[in-house]
Amino acid sequence: MKGAIQVRELKKSYGSHVVLKGLDFQIEQGEIFALLGVNGAGKTTALECIEGLRTYDSGVITVNGKMGIQLQSSSLPAYIRPMEAVNLFAKWNRTKIDYAVLNGLGIKEIEKKLYIQLSTGQKRRLHLALALIGNPDIIFLDEPTAGLDVEGRLSLHEQIRKLKSYGKTIVLASHDMTEVETLCDRIAILNNGKIVFCGTASELTDKVGRKYFIHIKTQQGNRTFETENMEDALISMLGELKQKEIPVLDMKVNRGTLEQHFIKMARRETE
């Protein structure tokens, strides 16, 4: 695949505080790529440098295509109406309005409202619609489903997958690990100004180890165990409880989630 974005030795400091310490990664054309990081890791700074919204100290950023950006903290004039904003952005971009995209995001339902009257979720949908005006090749989505209800989230996920099917490259920043795992082809974890992992969710699982979490409910309370060998752990724990004559009321076994793997990777690099 052709690289949509290449980042090489990207460095950025705010005074004496070094935020980015030489980032190196590539985002392929047509993939959904997530940049993850704990608070203060440098994720927002990295994205703003790539988007051209912030200057950086050194390094090389190559963007192959037109960008559309949906910021987490976007805002519009209080008394503008959604379609007025759409028409204004279309004129700026010298492009026609794609009403199929607007309808898919539910803009028709809110077109007569003032911006100040929109809910958080409605504003998020409008901001995404504005980001898509001009038919960008690369789309940056910062917390795109924040404030959306379940139906709105599912609808937006469907729209994101449709954009990918059209060959669009999507760069996603999200704190919702279920969303990331569901949508993204690859993820990069940024911690302390460096990329500590870049690959698929399955590769992250392999790197941190395939853990099982065993949850056992007894009359004496709930207990959770973490193990790599589920069979031996179950035999040992159940044998111990039976020997102590402690009845097991319920039991659940699951694999580690992407969120647990992400946290473990971040902790591993800082310990």
Side-chain angles (χ1 to χ4, degrees):
M1 289 186 290
K2 177 184 177 183
I5 298 173
Q6 296 92 31
V7 178
R8 297 289 179 264
E9 284 298 311
L10 179 61
K11 296 181 180 180
K12 173 65 179 177
S13 299
Y14 298 109
S16 60
H17 178 49
V18 181
V19 179
L20 303 179
K21 303 176 181 178
L23 299 191
D24 281 287
F25 64 95
Q26 177 167 306
I27 300 174
E28 306 297 345
Q29 181 179 322
E31 75 172 339
I32 303 178
F33 184 91
L35 185 61
L36 309 178
V38 296
N39 291 335
K43 176 185 64 178
T44 299
T45 296
L47 287 175
E48 289 177 347
C49 289
I50 297 170
E51 294 162 348
L53 301 177
R54 188 173 297 279
T55 59
Y56 48 95
D57 301 332
S58 63
V60 178
I61 298 174
T62 304
V63 178
N64 297 313
K66 184 178 180 180
M67 293 187 293
I69 303 170
Q70 181 244 327
L71 298 173
Q72 183 180 2
S73 57
S74 299
S75 185
L76 294 171
Y79 296 102
I80 196 172
R81 298 184 189 277
M83 284 309 299
E84 291 175 338
V86 168
N87 286 319
L88 182 60
F89 273 62
K91 287 183 179 180
W92 280 343
N93 285 273
R94 298 180 180 179
T95 188
K96 294 182 179 180
I97 297 171
D98 188 336
Y99 288 97
V101 172
L102 298 183
N103 292 335
L105 292 172
I107 304 303
K108 180 74 174 177
E109 305 164 7
I110 60 174
E111 63 178 348
K112 295 182 180 180
K113 291 186 176 183
L114 297 173
Y115 184 77
I116 196 173
Q117 297 173 323
L118 301 181
S119 67
T120 300
Q122 290 170 336
K123 289 178 180 178
R124 302 298 290 171
R125 300 204 313 258
L126 175 58
H127 297 160
L128 177 56
L130 297 178
L132 296 178
I133 289 176
N135 193 26
D137 305 295
I138 304 167
I139 304 158
F140 290 85
L141 303 179
D142 193 350
E143 302 292 342
T145 57
L148 294 181
D149 57 20
V150 174
E151 185 177 356
R153 289 166 62 86
L154 293 175
S155 176
L156 189 53
H157 287 176
E158 181 181 351
Q159 187 68 37
I160 291 172
R161 292 189 183 96
K162 188 177 295 184
L163 290 169
K164 173 181 166 64
S165 73
Y166 295 154
K168 306 295 185 183
T169 302
I170 299 167
V171 183
L172 178 70
S174 175
H175 286 95
D176 186 335
M177 293 298 160
T178 301
E179 178 172 84
V180 169
E181 192 167 18
T182 298
L183 292 174
C184 295
D185 299 299
R186 291 190 304 139
I187 60 177
I189 298 176
L190 179 61
N191 188 35
N192 195 27
K194 298 179 180 180
I195 296 290
V196 296
F197 173 81
C198 187
T200 66
S202 296
E203 289 169 344
L204 177 59
T205 299
D206 291 337
K207 185 164 184 176
V208 300
R210 293 188 175 274
K211 298 289 186 179
Y212 292 92
F213 294 85
I214 302 174
H215 311 276
I216 296 180
K217 180 179 180 181
T218 71
Q219 292 178 342
Q220 297 183 0
N222 301 326
R223 301 172 65 184
T224 298
F225 304 88
E226 180 180 339
T227 180
E228 292 185 1
N229 190 321
M230 179 177 61
E231 183 178 350
D232 290 347
L234 279 172
I235 292 173
S236 175
M237 287 184 292
L238 294 177
E240 178 183 349
L241 291 171
K242 185 174 182 179
Q243 185 177 12
K244 294 180 179 179
E245 298 183 347
I246 300 175
V248 175
L249 304 179
D250 193 14
M251 183 174 65
K252 182 172 64 175
V253 179
N254 56 42
R255 287 185 179 272
T257 64
L258 178 61
E259 183 172 12
Q260 290 166 330
H261 297 330
F262 163 67
I263 293 171
K264 183 169 184 178
M265 176 62 69
R267 287 177 177 173
R268 174 183 293 180
E269 298 298 327
T270 56
E271 286 175 351

